[in-house]
Each structure stands twice: as structure tokens, then as C-alpha cells.
Amino acid sequence: MSLFMKNSKIYFLSTVLLLLSFVGNAQNSQMTKDWETSPGIIGTVVLVIIVLFVAVVIFLAKLNAYLDRLKQKKLNQDRMAFSDELVSLDNDEIDSILENRKKALNYKLKGDELGSLNKAVDKKGLVKRVRKDPNNSFFDEKKKTPLSIETPKELKQIVTYYLAAATFWLVFGTLVGEYLGLKFIWPELDKISFLSFGRLRPVHTNTVFWGWASLAMIGLGYFVIARTSNTKIYSYAKAKIAWILINATVLLGNIALMSGINNGGGEYREYIWPIMLLFAIGLILTLYNFYKTVATRKIKEIYISNWFILAALVWTIVLSVIGYLPFYQNGMGETVIQGYYMHQGVGMWFMTFTLGLVYYYLPATLNKPIYSYSLGVLAFWTQMLFYTMIGTHHFVFSPLPWWLQTVAIVFSAGMFIPVIAGSTNFLMTMRGAWNHISKSYVLPFFLVGVIFYFVGSSQGSFQAFRFTNFVWHFTDFNVAHSHMTMYGIICFLLWGCIYTIVPKLNGKEPSQLLVGGHFWLAFIGLFAYMISLMYGGTLRGLSWMEGNPFMESVTLMQPYWVWRAVGGTLMFISHLVFAYNFYYMVKKEPEKSTKRNGGTEIIKGESVTV
Amino acid sequence: MLDFNTNHKALLLTAFGVFAVLSIGVAIIPAFQLDSYQPLPDQPELTDTEFEGLHVFIGEGCVACHTQQVRNIEMDAMWGDRPSIPEDYVYSKKRLDIWRQSASLLGSERTGPDLTNVGVRQPGAAWQLLHLYNPRAVSEESIMPSFPWLFEEVDSTSVREDDVVVAVPSQFLDNPSKKIVASEEAMQLVAYLQSLKQPKMPENSEPEFIPFSKIKEAAGGGSASASKGLDGEKLFMNKCSACHQANGKGVPGAFPPLAGSETVNNEDPEKMIRIILEGYNEMEGYGPMQAFADQLTDAEVAAIMNYERNSWGNEAPEVKEEDVKKVRDSKL
């Protein structure tokens, strides 16, 4: 294993060198008209094809499972037919059967039954179920196993509260997003000031950022912190206060935005400081709480998940302080900070925290350890080193200093190291468990999330090159990229984590059909969303390069905006399904809850019927 | 000491320390350096009204779709005479007030046009107001939202003397008997938009665009000067169609039609040339037109005129670059 590690490190370094040389190429080829052959574009196309390939694999696996079920159904029918036949037997036949049965009951073993060449016959009716492939049953049994440790009631409550609020903000935030998507097609949907596009757009982004993803991450984080430290959470009260503060931030911030109070229009910095201050206090409380819990851990080592989670909190607190301090934010100073802030908001908060969660929940789902701990450590430090430097790639060719832009582009290419380290680690952890995909509703979420982690992040690096900026910057391609990452990576991974843990906490699983519905609607929706905006965005960039009238680039986008709205609608419906699933998982049923202490029994009983 | 696996304090302090150092290097120091630029010699400061307009601009979230940066690549040359430089933002990117930070004007999405130079491109308040009231009144395919809450709907009898009435074509009115009056906020916003002009640089110091030339060379074939090489339709679309519309029919009550217009179809082009170069405000029932002498070359004016004089059923003899030159010189 350590040998492999060495090799893989060399491999990473050479990959990075190769990619850096691409950056150089990209800048030379900026003057050519062969835009299709620029490395950034080719890279993006290849990445998209990877996603398609994975989708096909998942689909085939699911289809296979479905066909298996159909076969099983047929067998059951045959069996029914057989029992009908028994019922219709006449007396003589029954007598002879009973006689045989009597004989069978008097039967005694001769001692050669297992060792002879006799044909195996179950004369006693002892065998209830025949398993041809014992490996396949592994997953079913695993996911029915309730947690073996006691989860304190308070912790359960905290996790549920955070996730419930997150789910609410997901539905609300994407409802807003859906509405905004429709406004591209029907700009006159309404004429109400607080529903106008410019005011609602930040409501959408901030709600899904600070409301949905942040609350979900922190909620899931509480469980990881407690579990991997083998202790209880330092202070439940602080968790509740932070919950109130963060929810208040989103609520008040949205009200402010809709009434036309915007901090300055910088993306993800739209909440004014008195409101964002509540969020920062919430984060500081959470950090304190997590830190104290880890500090009182009952095992020697700090699990890698906690590295990521604690660091994400520290980095984000630093980030929001830098983002909101006024001393250097006049003129272009604000623009430097904006690039830094909006990229680190994604990289140091959502990405880092979610990766930490995956380092716990993915191995937990598979019931096996993470493939390589050291690779996780490598990913951790390189995440910090490279991600921090790349904010300015949002302002390539802007009046910002050229050297700052170049640093951002070079380190964007460097992002391949943490991305490849992370996704290799996850994929290798999943290796050997591929056949579980058809049997599990959790794994597809993780698989898609991990693939998008690789694809979306690498695509982002390609997009930072100067040439690709030429074509794509300012177009809808950016919107496609941000959904590919925030949705494809973060949302799918969070859903994977939620479906892993909530059934275990409450002992209730959602219907597989509805989880499947959630998965496929979200996935197909995202794909339609992404491809239409990527393709349309490219055409739009080319139209600008041709110097065509601006309106032409608006009308040419119309069909792609329609497809985006279709994709967005599918995504939104999937969130409604998810919300129902979540409700189903956490809803209290008085009758069952009295028997909850005998929980294992109920679960065993269910597992037989499956 | 640095055993991160077991020492949570060391782990967090290192993560914090390295991140803080990197952040200072990549964000705070450059920000401080860029914070202190001096304005250009000819750069006007924003007036109070314009600064209030900037508040409206931010509050309505205009930056979500409109950038304000001319990048130093040739494709952005349509948005300004030169690439943007840090000095351009000295006055506009100041802290808005105690609650709100400096406006994030550069933007990251160009769903709508860049606004760096919109004060030059679209100086007329009449157009801006009508466009804000309902963008589709002047640009059929626009997807920009309307901002009716920046206007008041009043009875025609209660219009006061200092009210600015917006000439809205009747099909865009909910109630045709009412008049649309611009609110103070709308006037502030328009004042801000009108102020958006690239300040002139001291001579020969303008930064240059990075050319994207191979395509152009192949297409242009080097014959850059003759008016025949210019695409009159494209120029018309970029410079004129916002008011006169792509179909040449104008907007009733706001911008006069070119299709079938006497001036446009006149055999003698002098009056038409003069209107384009010097602007015009003598047509009853329509708003004033801006002067284009500074924005268009003689060849470009001729190309646009020839397009207008031979489109939408118009028929008039060709105008030559020299004709335009003659009128331009006679004016001086």
C-alpha cells in the first residue's frame, strides 16, 4: 500500500506538470481560431462524457436489478400456480402424499448423506431460502442493521433539526431558482418589486448556500464529530443557539434582499454585515462546540473527517471576516476580495466540509475503512494550499494585476492534486462494492457526487485557462459550472450522507422507489440543465467573439433557457420528493415508538419480507 | 509537536496560520495596493444624485446581469474605447454607506449588455426611462425585468409641472388613460446610468486590447477603409436599433420611424447626415436624439445611412463617405 502511495504521488506530480504545460499552451493558442481544439474545451468535453458514461453504468446496473426482480416475480407466480395445483388434488393423491410424509417423518439418517453421490433432496422441507450468491446479500443485511452504539436522544434531535431546516431551505431556495429560470423565458411573469429578478437571484444563491447546504453540513457534522470522537457533544445548547442564528441569518437576509437592501451586489456577500454577523457568530459557536468535543475525545487519534470539518469552520470564519472588513475595499480592492471570497466560500466551506463528511459516511455505508488515510491527509493540505490562491480566476482579463490573474490560473491547474487525491480515495474505497450500486439507494448518490467532484472541479480548472475564459466568461456557462459543482458535488454527497444516517437514527427507511425517483429526477434534471447552458453559453461566447449585435446572443439563448427550465423543474420536483422522504424518515409514529426499544426485532422482521 | 493526528491544537493552529498567511498574500495585500488609486485628470466625481442612483442600481440587483468591465481583449472593444483600468472605479467603488460595502460593479455575468460606457451609447433620459418602465417597449426580445415600481401611475390631470412623464406606447399601459411619471429613484438611477462614460486617458497612454486578429484578417482581407467593407446593418443594430428598432418602425410616441420617413427617403441626404452628426429635437411628439459625431466615422455614418435608405421599403440614392465629410466640415 505504501508503495502504491509513493507511486501515486509521483503520478500526481507528473500530471500537474503536464497540466501546467497546458496552461502555457492555452495562452499561446489564444490567438488561433481553432477554438475547438484548445485543451480547456477538449478537457471539458471529455469530462462531460465521463459523467454520461457513469450515468449509463448506474442505469444499466439498476436495469439489471429490475430484470432480476421481474424474474423473481415470475418464479413466485410459478410457485403460486404450484400451490393452486396442490389445492385441487383429489383424496387418493392426498393420501399417498400423506403416507410419504409419514415415511419421511420416520426417516433416520444413514450417515452417508453428505458424503455420498446421492442427489440432494430436501425431503424434510428444511430449506427456506437458497442463496446462490452470498456476496450480494451483504448489502441488504448491512443497511438493515441499526446503529450498535447508543445515539443520545439530544444528538438525534440536533441532527434532525438541522437537517429539517436545511430541507426546508432547499425547497424554498430552489423554488426561487425555478421561478428565476422561468423568468428567462417569460420576463413579465410578475411586476412585483420584491419578486423581481435582480432581487430574487441573490435570495436563491444565499438560501441554498447558507440555508440548505450549510445547515445540512453542520447537522451531519454533529453526528460525525460525536461518533468519531467516541464521546458526546460538548454543548447541545450551543448547537441550538447556532441553529437559531443561522436560520435567522437566512430569513432576515432574504427579507432584506427582497426589499432592496443589498450589501453591494458581490456574489454570496449580498447580506449586509449586521445580518451576516449572526451567521459568523453561529459558525464560531459551532467551531467552539466541535473543537471542545474533539478535545475531549476518548480515542487518541483525530479522524480525518474532523480535520476537514474543523478546518472548514476555521477557514470560513477567517474568510467572512476578511470579506466584510472595510479597510481595503475601495476601488479594485473590493474586486480582489470578491474573487477571493466567492471562490473560497465554495472551496473552503462547502467543499472542505462536505469532503470531511464523505470521509466518514462513505466508509460507514460500505462498512469498510477508507482506502488510504494518507491520501486524505495529502488532499487536506493541498486543498488549503491551492484553493486559497485561485479566487482571481473569476476576473481574468479584468483590470486586476496580470500577475494575480496568472497566479490564480496556475494554482487552478494545481487543484488537480487535491481533486485527484480525493476522488481516487473515494473511488478506491468503493472498489469491490460496485455490485452494491444496484442494491443500494445510497451509493448512487455518493458515486455521482464523487464523479462530479472529479469532473466539476477539473472542468473548473480548465475554465480558468485564458483561452477558455475568452469563450466562456460572462456567459451562461458559468451558471452551468456552478450548478455542476454546488449541485452535482455538494448536494448529491449531502443527500448520500442524509440517506445513510437518518434511517439509522430513526430506524425507518424511505421507500426505495421514492429515493430512486429523487435520484433520477435530480440527476437527469442536472444533466439537462448543465448541457443546455454549456452548449448555449459556448454559442453565446462565439457570437460575442464574432462581434454580432448583443441582442442576437440573447435570442440564440432562448431554446437553451427553455431546456434549462425543464432541467430545473425536474431538479425542483426531486427536492419535493426528497422532502417527503425526509419527512417519512423522521416522522414520529406513536404506535411504533413505544416498541422502539425492541427495535432490532422489528427490523429483523422486516428484513425477512424483503 | 506537529503530530496533527493526535494534537488537535497544533492541527487547528497550523490550518489557521497557513490559511491566514496565504490569504494576506493573495487577497489583503493586493487589495490594499489597489485601494489607493488616483482618479484620471478628466474624471468627474459622481454627483449626489448619481451616487443615490448607484444605491438603486445595487438594491435592484442590476449587477447580477450587467457587468462594468471592458476586458483587455478585442471582443470587448464593442463595450468601450479602451480596456478598463483600476482608475476608472475610483469614484464609483466607494463604500456605499455604513451598512453597505463598495459596490461589486465588475460583475461576473453578461446576461445583459456591459454598462461601462452606456452613458455614451444611450445618453437619452427618455430612452432610459421607457426602457426601465418596460424594456420590451424599446427592445422586443429583451428579457430584462420591468421596474414599474420606480414609476407612478397618475391621472393626466394631476401631473405636476416638474414631473417627468414617460412616453409609454399605449399597448404597454395597463390603463391607457393614465400617465406614467418617473419617481425620484428612477431619475437618480437614470442619472447614474447617464454618468457611465469611460473617462478620457491622457494622450497616448491608453492601454491596448489584446488582438484576436486571425479571424478578422482572414475575413477582412485588409480592405479596412472603404465604406463598402463596413456592414451597415451590423452598425445600425449596434448603434441605432435600440430606439428606431430593428424593423425601422420606431416606438410610437417616443422614437420616430425610419421606414417611410421623408427625411430618410429624401434624395438630398444633407438633413439626415446633419441629424445623425448633431442630434435633433424638433420633431413633435418624439424625444430628442443624441449627436453621433464623436462616435461614428464618416464611413460608418455613410454605411448606416445606406442601410437605412434601402431597407423596410425605403428607396433613396447611395450616400458616399465624402458627402458626410462635407457636412461634418461645414459644421465646423
Side-chain angles (χ1 to χ4, degrees):
Chain A
M1 178 115 121
S2 68
L3 190 71
F4 177 84
M5 271 300 300
K6 268 180 202 156
N7 283 341
S8 63
K9 267 183 195 156
I10 294 166
Y11 168 68
F12 290 141
L13 287 180
S14 55
T15 317
V16 171
L17 286 179
L18 194 76
L19 289 163
L20 288 180
S21 69
F22 267 147
V23 184
N25 280 344
Q27 286 171 31
N28 295 338
S29 66
Q30 141 184 326
M31 311 306 168
T32 71
K33 59 176 174 178
D34 315 322
W35 62 273
E36 309 93 330
T37 55
S38 105
I41 307 248
I42 292 177
T44 300
V45 171
V46 169
L47 292 171
V48 170
I49 291 173
I50 292 177
V51 179
L52 251 185
F53 177 75
V54 172
V56 170
V57 170
I58 296 180
F59 178 73
L60 287 181
K62 291 274 179 191
L63 188 70
N64 210 12
Y66 177 68
L67 290 178
D68 276 353
R69 266 214 308 282
L70 282 186
K71 217 190 265 170
Q72 199 59 42
K73 221 176 179 179
K74 182 79 177 35
L75 285 178
N76 286 340
Q77 273 170 357
D78 290 352
R79 226 170 278 151
M80 287 289 285
F82 177 66
S83 55
D84 286 347
E85 207 180 296
L86 285 185
V87 173
S88 59
L89 289 175
D90 59 41
N91 282 345
D92 287 350
E93 282 170 306
I94 292 175
D95 282 350
S96 78
I97 289 171
L98 285 178
E99 214 141 295
N100 281 341
R101 180 66 181 156
K102 217 185 243 168
K103 260 188 218 161
L105 287 175
N106 290 329
Y107 180 79
K108 290 226 169 58
L109 287 177
K110 286 179 194 147
D112 63 348
E113 285 81 1
L114 293 172
S116 75
L117 296 170
N118 296 342
K119 209 178 164 192
V121 181
D122 181 24
K123 288 179 185 161
K124 302 278 180 303
L126 291 173
V127 180
K128 271 189 180 165
R129 192 158 62 156
V130 180
R131 283 184 194 166
K132 284 187 180 158
D133 185 359
N135 275 337
N136 279 357
S137 65
F138 172 68
F139 199 85
D140 279 351
E141 279 175 16
K142 163 162 180 1
K143 72 184 177 191
K144 296 292 179 189
T145 310
L147 278 181
S148 51
I149 53 150
E150 290 274 301
T151 308
K153 207 174 121 244
E154 293 93 335
L155 178 60
K156 258 189 212 176
Q157 195 193 14
I158 295 289
V159 174
T160 311
Y161 262 63
Y162 271 85
L163 292 180
T167 308
F168 169 77
W169 289 120
L170 173 72
V171 172
F172 172 77
T174 50
L175 175 67
V176 173
E178 165 78 5
Y179 190 63
L180 289 169
L182 295 179
K183 284 199 165 200
F184 277 85
I185 312 167
W186 296 293
E188 297 281 6
L189 263 179
D190 68 74
K191 290 192 173 186
I192 304 164
S193 60
F194 51 82
L195 295 182
S196 79
F197 186 90
R199 295 189 190 185
L200 273 190
R201 184 182 187 274
V203 170
H204 165 64
T205 52
N206 284 289
T207 305
V208 294
F209 269 39
W210 314 127
W212 148 241
S214 301
L215 282 169
M217 288 182 335
I218 296 175
L220 291 163
Y222 268 108
F223 184 81
V224 176
I225 292 277
R227 185 86 164 94
T228 56
S229 301
N230 202 10
T231 183
K232 68 183 195 34
I233 292 297
Y234 175 70
S235 156
Y236 295 116
K238 288 199 174 56
K240 285 176 191 160
I241 298 172
W243 185 88
I244 294 171
L245 286 172
I246 295 174
N247 278 300
T249 306
V250 183
L251 182 70
L252 295 175
N254 286 344
I255 292 174
L257 284 175
M258 285 168 85
S259 38
I261 300 167
N262 189 320
N263 184 36
E267 279 170 304
Y268 323 135
R269 273 202 292 181
E270 287 101 339
Y271 291 169
I272 51 174
W273 67 262
I275 293 174
M276 208 55 182
L277 190 62
L278 301 178
F279 186 78
I281 297 172
L283 284 195
I284 291 169
L285 281 180
T286 310
L287 172 64
Y288 184 72
N289 215 356
F290 281 11
Y291 179 78
K292 279 290 186 185
T293 309
V294 171
T296 54
R297 68 188 180 280
K298 291 198 182 119
I299 37 178
K300 193 161 171 254
E301 313 225 309
I302 311 167
Y303 184 61
I304 189 75
S305 283
N306 299 346
W307 292 42
F308 278 85
I309 292 172
L310 289 174
L313 283 159
V314 172
W315 293 339
T316 310
I317 292 166
V318 173
L319 182 70
S320 21
V321 171
I322 292 181
Y324 275 84
L325 282 183
F327 312 113
Y328 35 73
Q329 300 218 35
N330 286 326
M332 296 301 291
E334 185 273 336
T335 308
V336 178
I337 300 296
Q338 177 59 26
Y340 164 84
Y341 175 88
M342 73 170 144
H343 209 89
Q344 266 53 267
V346 176
M348 312 321 283
W349 177 232
F350 297 108
M351 207 57 248
T352 307
F353 203 121
T354 305
L355 287 179
L357 296 177
V358 176
Y359 277 106
Y360 172 76
Y361 286 105
L362 179 65
T365 308
L366 295 170
N367 205 14
K368 65 199 254 196
I370 192 83
Y371 168 68
S372 159
Y373 201 86
S374 344
L375 214 49
V377 174
L378 173 78
F380 176 79
W381 293 115
T382 45
Q383 171 97 356
M384 174 180 74
L385 221 52
F386 293 117
Y387 230 130
T388 315
M389 311 298 280
I390 63 183
T392 306
H393 72 198
H394 290 265
F395 294 100
V396 175
F397 298 122
S398 80
L400 287 184
W402 194 257
W403 70 266
L404 204 57
Q405 302 179 22
T406 307
V407 166
I409 295 170
V410 169
F411 278 93
S412 299
M415 275 306 292
F416 279 104
I417 297 179
V419 168
I420 292 176
S423 35
T424 310
N425 211 354
F426 298 144
L427 288 175
M428 292 303 272
T429 307
M430 283 188 237
R431 197 179 64 158
W434 300 121
N435 53 347
H436 295 169
I437 286 177
S438 63
K439 298 237 173 1
S440 153
Y441 52 79
V442 180
L443 268 185
F445 283 100
F446 279 118
L447 182 63
V448 165
V450 170
I451 294 296
F452 266 111
Y453 177 48
F454 175 68
V455 169
S457 309
S458 318
Q459 193 273 320
S461 298
F462 285 132
Q463 204 174 337
F465 293 173
R466 284 209 168 90
F467 176 76
T468 31
N469 244 277
F470 226 103
V471 191
W472 287 334
H473 195 40
F474 293 148
T475 70
D476 295 74
F477 200 100
N478 290 351
V479 185
H481 172 74
S482 53
H483 283 81
M484 189 163 161
T485 46
M486 272 307 289
Y487 198 86
I489 305 174
I490 307 291
C491 293
F492 273 86
L493 291 179
L494 289 180
W495 285 324
C497 298
I498 291 174
Y499 282 128
T500 304
I501 197 60
V502 180
K504 285 183 183 171
L505 287 180
N506 295 303
K508 245 171 83 183
E509 293 195 320
S511 119
Q512 304 234 359
L513 186 73
L514 286 179
V515 180
H518 169 200
F519 175 80
W520 284 107
L521 283 170
F523 187 78
I524 295 170
L526 173 63
F527 218 80
Y529 190 107
M530 196 175 99
I531 296 297
S532 56
L533 286 190
M534 283 174 141
Y535 190 69
T538 309
L539 292 183
R540 193 166 202 203
L542 292 174
S543 162
W544 290 345
M545 278 155 77
E546 289 286 314
N548 295 335
F550 186 81
M551 259 340 262
E552 227 164 80
S553 73
V554 176
T555 43
L556 85 81
M557 280 304 293
Q558 280 298 344
Y560 304 105
W561 282 330
V562 172
W563 278 108
R564 182 261 291 276
V566 171
T569 310
L570 293 179
M571 285 150 82
F572 177 64
I573 296 172
S574 85
H575 304 157
L576 294 179
V577 178
F578 165 68
Y580 175 77
N581 288 342
F582 182 77
Y583 167 75
Y584 181 84
M585 288 188 284
V586 299
K587 141 181 100 163
K588 285 204 180 82
E589 272 172 77
E591 227 177 293
K592 268 198 177 176
S593 67
T594 53
K595 287 188 203 160
R596 189 51 58 73
N597 289 341
T600 36
E601 212 161 273
I602 295 171
I603 286 161
K604 265 186 195 160
E606 277 174 0
S607 79
V608 173
T609 61
V610 168
Chain B
M1 186 195 107
L2 287 182
D3 189 3
F4 299 128
N5 251 333
T6 50
N7 186 343
H8 48 271
K9 218 175 248 173
L11 175 68
L12 269 208
L13 281 177
T14 313
F16 167 77
V18 179
F19 182 70
V21 169
L22 290 175
S23 300
I24 289 171
V26 81
I28 296 186
I29 291 178
F32 264 116
Q33 284 169 349
L34 289 159
D35 190 59
S36 51
Y37 268 86
Q38 293 304 309
L40 295 165
D42 289 344
Q43 196 168 342
E45 203 165 341
L46 289 183
T47 64
D48 288 348
T49 319
E50 288 161 3
F51 198 57
E52 283 305 312
L54 176 58
H55 278 80
V56 181
F57 189 79
I58 292 299
E60 296 298 344
C62 306
V63 287
C65 300
H66 294 285
T67 54
Q68 277 187 45
Q69 52 168 322
V70 180
R71 296 174 296 170
N72 52 2
I73 46 180
E74 210 181 345
M75 66 190 275
D76 268 27
M78 66 195 291
W79 302 118
D81 304 324
R82 57 166 173 84
S84 298
I85 51 173
E87 286 85 343
D88 292 343
Y89 304 96
V90 170
Y91 292 126
S92 57
K93 280 173 68 56
K94 278 185 177 163
R95 195 170 174 85
L96 290 169
D97 50 40
I98 189 162
W99 308 110
R100 283 169 278 196
Q101 62 164 55
S102 145
S104 226
L105 291 175
L106 277 82
S108 59
E109 281 276 311
R110 210 171 258 172
T111 309
D114 184 272
L115 298 181
T116 309
N117 225 8
V118 72
V120 175
R121 212 163 55 231
Q122 216 55 262
W127 186 90
Q128 292 289 6
L129 286 171
L130 179 54
H131 184 247
L132 284 173
Y133 181 74
N134 189 330
R136 276 147 300 282
V138 287
S139 178
E140 206 183 324
E141 275 145 340
S142 169
I143 57 158
M144 179 166 135
S146 324
F147 294 87
W149 56 93
L150 296 179
F151 299 85
E152 283 168 64
E153 213 175 41
V154 296
D155 290 322
S156 43
T157 49
S158 58
V159 176
R160 280 163 305 172
E161 210 167 289
D162 52 350
D163 278 348
V164 179
V165 178
V166 187
V168 182
S170 55
Q171 74 262 35
F172 294 102
L173 284 173
D174 295 333
N175 188 347
S177 65
K178 302 255 182 164
K179 292 276 179 203
I180 301 301
V181 172
S183 70
E184 197 189 348
E185 281 181 323
M187 295 312 290
Q188 289 166 341
L189 180 55
V190 169
Y192 171 68
L193 292 173
Q194 286 174 313
S195 80
L196 292 174
K197 294 171 184 167
Q198 278 189 313
K200 285 268 177 294
M201 300 275 294
E203 241 166 88
N204 295 328
S205 64
E206 285 199 358
E208 280 179 14
F209 289 106
I210 299 171
F212 185 72
S213 38
K214 284 203 174 155
I215 292 178
K216 285 230 166 130
E217 270 168 32
S223 66
S225 62
S227 63
K228 276 169 198 146
L230 290 169
D231 186 341
E233 181 176 1
K234 206 179 236 183
L235 283 165
F236 173 83
M237 289 301 179
N238 282 334
K239 295 282 181 186
C240 320
S241 66
C243 293
H244 295 293
Q245 304 296 304
N247 58 12
K249 289 200 174 118
V251 176
F255 311 112
L258 302 177
S261 150
E262 245 175 64
T263 316
V264 176
N265 284 300
N266 197 331
E267 218 163 288
D268 178 10
E270 196 196 321
K271 186 179 176 195
M272 187 176 170
I273 296 173
R274 208 168 277 286
I275 291 176
I276 294 176
L277 291 179
E278 297 167 12
Y280 195 63
N281 191 15
E282 280 158 48
M283 213 163 168
E284 212 164 291
Y286 294 106
M289 170 162 160
Q290 64 174 113
F292 280 92
D294 296 341
Q295 290 190 45
L296 297 170
T297 65
D298 296 341
E300 284 169 338
V301 173
I304 290 174
M305 285 179 68
N306 286 329
Y307 172 72
E308 291 171 348
R309 283 156 78 90
N310 292 293
S311 307
W312 324 296
N314 290 349
E315 265 186 69
E318 195 187 337
V319 179
K320 296 210 170 55
E321 193 180 339
E322 293 77 48
D323 302 326
V324 183
K325 192 174 180 325
K326 229 184 283 167
V327 178
R328 196 192 283 262
D329 291 345
S330 75
K331 172 195 149 198
L332 295 171

